[in-house]
Amino acid sequence: MSIVDGHSADAVAQAADVLAAGGLVGFATETVYGLGARADQDAAVAGIYQAKGRPADHPLIVHVATLDDAAWFGNLDSPAAQRLAQHLWPGPLTLIVPRRPGMAEAAAGGQGSIGLRMPSHPVAQALLRAARARGVRGVAAPSANRFGRVSPTTAAHVAAEFGPGLLVLDGGACEVGIESAIVDCSRAQPALLRPGQLDRTRLERLLGGPLAEPGHDAPRASGTLASHYAPDATVRLMDTQALKAALEVLRGAPAPKGLAVYSRSVRRAPPGIEWRVMPEHADQVAHELFSVLRDLDERGARLIWVETPPPGASWDGVRDRLSRAAAA
Ligand code: TXA
Ligand code: MG
């Protein structure tokens, strides 16, 4: 069995051995599951690109156990990086900072900057510390899904993506459920490249100033491609009125085959439609979102009508993932 208990010290040691030897490991974090390789060996990192089917110039996030290790790979001296790292690490935040020359070249996709993250999940922490004890200072890890697909939030999702050959450290269902927020601190004004559970309002309050929009010259970021995070089924975002009207049209007629609905306001399912009630709070939706999309795929959904999330910064992360899924 490729899935092992991430809370077992033996399993963590086994996974750290695989990493130290240049192999790949799937592991739980608080955001989504990662597909890790040691960041300091280009050949190990190449294994990630190959397994994911991801273009090799797309930079990966390097995960670290300590601030010292973060500073080994990148320069976190800017006031924004200092402040965010101090207040929000360990946690669901990635910082893009200037890369130290010669460090993790392949993991950074050859760019002059590097994405760094200190995850808070105990399984991720245990793995990073065990790897560190074997001389591995950072673990490059994208989300453990094939390129363009929905990120995995359980160990079973990872096994479904990569099969039984991959060792996966199980840490349960990811609490956050969507990928980390990414703040680019490598330029004059920090910019929000990807919202996560941490939204713009919270980050700006902490920084005491506005975050820039990602510019035209923003670094390549696959999570920022218009179509990403897509299930097999087609996702259509609909506002409350449009969704109600569309369901009204279906009343009395046989439901179209493979139709699913994920909605806050419409809480009663007409017969023949696969139905999920969207929770009230953005954090709850983020927690279950990718699981719901995968589950609907498995149940044969071909078309998913999703009610547009309400306005407000706290929904930015969910809105971002849904609009990318809908653009696929
Ligand atoms: O929550 C997460 O961030 C998860 C877990 C496993 O930590 N990881 C994750 O990785 O979402 P990935 O590869 O699926 O998305 C990382 C994003 C990509 O859009 C990538 O292009 C961007 O981070 N990124 C990484 N390094 C960068 C850099 N130096 N400059 C700009 N963007 C960067
Ligand atoms: Mg990803």
Side-chain angles (χ1 to χ4, degrees), residues 257-300:
K257 211 166 143 39
L259 178 62
V261 174
Y262 187 40
S263 161
R264 269 168 305 118
S265 324
V266 190
R267 300 184 149 255
R268 282 265 307 279
I273 298 181
E274 197 64 55
W275 203 272
R276 294 290 182 285
V277 175
M278 192 185 280
E280 289 286 314
H281 294 285
D283 285 352
Q284 297 171 307
V285 179
H287 171 72
E288 69 169 36
L289 179 63
F290 291 147
S291 241
V292 167
L293 294 179
R294 274 178 189 266
D295 185 48
L296 291 175
D297 262 349
E298 263 166 34
R299 285 162 188 277

Side-chain angles (χ1 to χ4, degrees), residues 80-169:
Q82 287 279 312
R83 191 154 176 86
L84 293 173
Q86 208 163 55
H87 286 265
L88 299 173
W89 276 358
L93 173 72
T94 295
L95 297 175
I96 310 293
V97 299
R99 184 166 60 90
R100 299 224 185 265
M103 299 312 233
E105 175 103 32
Q111 306 199 49
S113 60
I114 187 164
L116 296 169
R117 177 160 116 75
M118 191 190 294
S120 62
H121 195 295
V123 168
Q125 291 249 342
L127 176 65
L128 291 171
R129 281 195 302 270
R132 195 180 195 286
R134 291 159 174 79
V136 178
R137 274 180 171 261
V139 173
S143 50
N145 52 280
R146 291 179 191 277
F147 185 61
R149 309 275 314 150
V150 176
S151 294
T153 56
T154 68
H157 293 165
V158 182
E161 292 279 333
F162 297 105
L166 179 72
L167 183 69
V168 184
L169 284 183

Side-chain angles (χ1 to χ4, degrees), residues 5-193:
D5 178 6
H7 296 286
S8 135
D10 284 348
V12 168
Q14 186 194 351
D17 285 339
V18 171
L19 286 177
L24 300 182
V25 165
F27 63 100
T29 85
E30 69 277 23
T31 56
V32 300
Y33 275 71
L35 178 67
R38 60 184 303 167
D40 59 352
Q41 282 185 2
D42 292 1
V45 170
I48 295 179
Y49 290 111
Q50 197 184 12
K52 277 195 66 124
R54 176 168 169 160
D57 60 350
H58 283 202
L60 305 172
I61 296 170
V62 175
H63 297 68
V64 293
T66 68
L67 274 175
D68 269 1
D69 293 329
W72 175 266
F73 290 101
N75 179 337
L76 287 97
D77 290 345
S78 77
Q82 287 279 312
R83 191 154 176 86
L84 293 173
Q86 208 163 55
H87 286 265
L88 299 173
W89 276 358
L93 173 72
T94 295
L95 297 175
I96 310 293
V97 299
R99 184 166 60 90
R100 299 224 185 265
M103 299 312 233
E105 175 103 32
Q111 306 199 49
S113 60
I114 187 164
L116 296 169
R117 177 160 116 75
M118 191 190 294
S120 62
H121 195 295
V123 168
Q125 291 249 342
L127 176 65
L128 291 171
R129 281 195 302 270
R132 195 180 195 286
R134 291 159 174 79
V136 178
R137 274 180 171 261
V139 173
S143 50
N145 52 280
R146 291 179 191 277
F147 185 61
R149 309 275 314 150
V150 176
S151 294
T153 56
T154 68
H157 293 165
V158 182
E161 292 279 333
F162 297 105
L166 179 72
L167 183 69
V168 184
L169 284 183
D170 191 350
C174 301
E175 197 182 321
V176 176
I178 57 173
E179 304 82 352
S180 59
I182 305 180
V183 178
D184 183 0
C185 298
S186 70
R187 291 136 196 278
Q189 190 189 359
L192 183 59
L193 300 189

Side-chain angles (χ1 to χ4, degrees), residues 184-317:
D184 183 0
C185 298
S186 70
R187 291 136 196 278
Q189 190 189 359
L192 183 59
L193 300 189
R194 179 173 78 183
Q197 184 190 55
L198 291 164
D199 61 54
R200 173 178 291 273
T201 309
R202 171 118 187 260
L203 293 164
E204 288 181 339
R205 200 178 305 137
L206 198 56
L207 287 169
L211 283 165
E213 297 291 337
H216 290 307
D217 57 343
R220 286 176 297 268
S222 55
T224 61
L225 295 178
S227 76
H228 210 63
Y229 312 112
D232 289 332
T234 302
V235 172
R236 186 176 303 156
L237 273 170
M238 300 164 89
D239 65 32
T240 313
Q241 289 321 312
L243 180 61
K244 283 184 173 160
L247 288 166
E248 195 58 39
V249 169
L250 291 184
R251 199 190 270 275
K257 211 166 143 39
L259 178 62
V261 174
Y262 187 40
S263 161
R264 269 168 305 118
S265 324
V266 190
R267 300 184 149 255
R268 282 265 307 279
I273 298 181
E274 197 64 55
W275 203 272
R276 294 290 182 285
V277 175
M278 192 185 280
E280 289 286 314
H281 294 285
D283 285 352
Q284 297 171 307
V285 179
H287 171 72
E288 69 169 36
L289 179 63
F290 291 147
S291 241
V292 167
L293 294 179
R294 274 178 189 266
D295 185 48
L296 291 175
D297 262 349
E298 263 166 34
R299 285 162 188 277
R302 293 183 196 159
L303 177 61
I304 309 174
W305 288 350
V306 180
E307 185 176 350
T308 311
S314 68
W315 288 90
D316 283 355

